[in-house]
Amino acid sequence: MKWDWSAVSGFMPQFWEGLRVTLQALALGSLISFALGLVWALLMRAPTRWVRWPVGVVTEFVRNTPLLVQLFFLFYVLPEWGLTFSALATGVFAIGLHYSTYTMQVYRAGIEAVPVGQWEAATALNLPRRRTWTAVILPQAIRRVVPALGNYVISMLKDTPMLMVITVLEMLGQARLYSQQHFQFTEPLTVIGVAFILVSYLASLLLRTLERRLVR
């Protein structure tokens, strides 16, 4: 099969648009998953079971149902209840919510890994509970969990093609559209395959750099 460079050049405008959407979904989805995962982790340490039990039920349900089902539910069912969002906003929230249930476990492990002596020292200094968390516990916990959180960023990147099912034209969606329009599949699919490898590699480098800075 002959490689057609004209197909590559013809696909590039759509590729750049798809890359923009992919990176936007990845960045916003990551922020939601990191923030919401921390909230879940803190709520799971609440002193009353009336807080822990509902949070546990919700997070288990989200973690044990496919992301694809959640995308369809949020995009097609919520409008029937009067809640309508753009396809991209729905996709970003679905990815962030789904992965927050995984980052929650990462945060929990990081918090539990903080030595007991740190809690005792904060108590001995009579630090307020909020100050204990923000100044003593969380800074140490987050340093420990950066590598694991980074792995989920890569996983989220690999799941962004699922947004195509709710009409979001990320990289794979743009490649599929171009292929259907021009009956050329090899070149656009190869381009996005290489793009995913490069973006994953660059993301891993950035996360390693962040990890080294936090360890200092």
Side-chain angles (χ1 to χ4, degrees):
M1 181 180 294
K2 186 177 179 181
W3 181 265
D4 188 353
W5 286 104
S6 64
V8 176
S9 60
F11 172 61
M12 291 312 291
Q14 289 175 249
F15 165 75
W16 292 118
E17 175 61 19
L19 178 62
R20 182 190 68 80
V21 173
T22 296
L23 294 178
Q24 185 178 0
L26 175 63
L28 296 177
S30 297
L31 289 176
I32 292 173
S33 70
F34 293 164
L36 194 55
L38 181 58
V39 171
W40 295 141
L42 295 177
L43 290 177
M44 286 298 291
R45 296 183 65 88
T48 172
R49 65 175 182 172
W50 299 110
V51 174
R52 297 194 305 270
W53 186 82
V55 171
V57 170
V58 170
T59 55
E60 284 297 319
F61 176 80
V62 173
R63 184 165 57 247
N64 290 291
T65 53
L67 175 58
L68 190 60
V69 173
Q70 295 165 16
L71 284 167
F72 277 126
F73 183 88
L74 293 174
F75 190 67
Y76 292 108
V77 177
L78 288 188
E80 296 182 5
W81 297 350
L83 298 172
T84 304
F85 304 96
S86 69
L88 181 59
T90 301
V92 165
F93 178 72
I95 287 178
L97 175 63
H98 184 79
Y99 276 94
S100 71
T101 61
Y102 293 96
T103 59
M104 174 193 76
Q105 299 296 341
V106 173
Y107 284 123
R108 285 181 64 183
I111 291 170
E112 292 172 1
V114 175
V116 176
Q118 298 295 312
W119 296 90
E120 295 173 346
T123 301
L125 293 171
N126 200 28
L127 292 179
R129 185 174 180 83
R130 178 179 297 181
R131 180 68 175 167
T132 299
W133 278 104
T134 58
V136 180
I137 305 303
L138 288 181
Q140 296 182 63
I142 290 175
R143 288 194 190 98
R144 299 171 186 269
V145 302
V146 167
L149 292 178
N151 291 335
Y152 284 119
V153 172
I154 304 302
S155 296
M156 278 185 269
L157 172 65
K158 294 176 182 178
D159 277 345
T160 54
M162 287 193 187
L163 302 186
M164 181 176 58
V165 302
I166 58 170
T167 73
V168 176
L169 292 178
E170 39 62 65
M171 285 196 292
L172 182 59
Q174 292 286 3
R176 182 171 178 266
L177 179 62
Y178 181 88
S179 298
Q180 291 174 339
Q181 290 172 339
H182 300 275
F183 302 100
Q184 294 173 305
F185 295 88
T186 302
E187 292 81 8
L189 291 175
T190 301
V191 168
I192 67 164
V194 173
F196 270 111
I197 293 172
L198 291 176
V199 173
S200 297
Y201 179 68
L202 291 174
S204 65
L205 288 180
L206 289 174
L207 290 166
R208 277 185 229 157
T209 301
L210 178 61
E211 181 184 355
R212 285 196 294 267
R213 289 181 177 274
L214 290 175
V215 169
R216 289 178 183 176

